Amino acid sequence: MNHILKGVLLVCLAFLMDANAEIYKCDVEGKLVMQDVPCPEGVNQHTVDVVIQNDNSKKYNSYEPEPYNPSEFNEWENNLIENKQVAVGMRVRALRFSWGYPKKINRSAYGPEQWVFGDGAYMRYAYIKDGIVVNWQD
């Protein structure tokens, strides 16, 4: 019983402490790649020490979306917003008014961002590069 109590105490202390992580910066064919494992052999590598602190003092206000203002968008984007549609070439601000804010944004070193919308069985995706929808999946 004492061993179990000590184990639980150690786990609780670990959550209260700052976490340290090491990030590897790799120069792969002239592109900067950051990852949590060492770079491949023969690749220029630098390490970055990262300290992750738990800041429980912050209080977040509830999210209040901005009001939709049709004058910010052209006729094509307004039509997409009103019909809750997405199209290649649409700006991300228009996308947010059409589909809402994404539940998650996935980023990679080489491709566009993947914005994930929806919950459960019905998921939609928009692929964003330089603030523009470059592909989508419904």
Side-chain angles (χ1 to χ4, degrees), residues 15 84 129:
F15 281 112
K84 303 293 182 200
K129 186 166 184 170

Side-chain angles (χ1 to χ4, degrees), residues 72-74 77 89-96 131-133:
E72 292 182 52
F73 307 101
N74 59 37
E77 285 179 326
M90 182 181 213
R91 293 175 292 161
V92 293
R93 185 150 171 80
L95 170 64
R96 287 189 192 118
I132 303 293
V133 175

Side-chain angles (χ1 to χ4, degrees), residues 32-53:
L32 174 66
V33 178
M34 298 184 80
Q35 56 193 36
D36 61 352
V37 295
C39 303
E41 191 173 317
V43 172
N44 190 14
Q45 170 180 298
H46 301 280
T47 57
V48 178
D49 290 322
V50 178
V51 177
I52 303 168
Q53 295 179 323

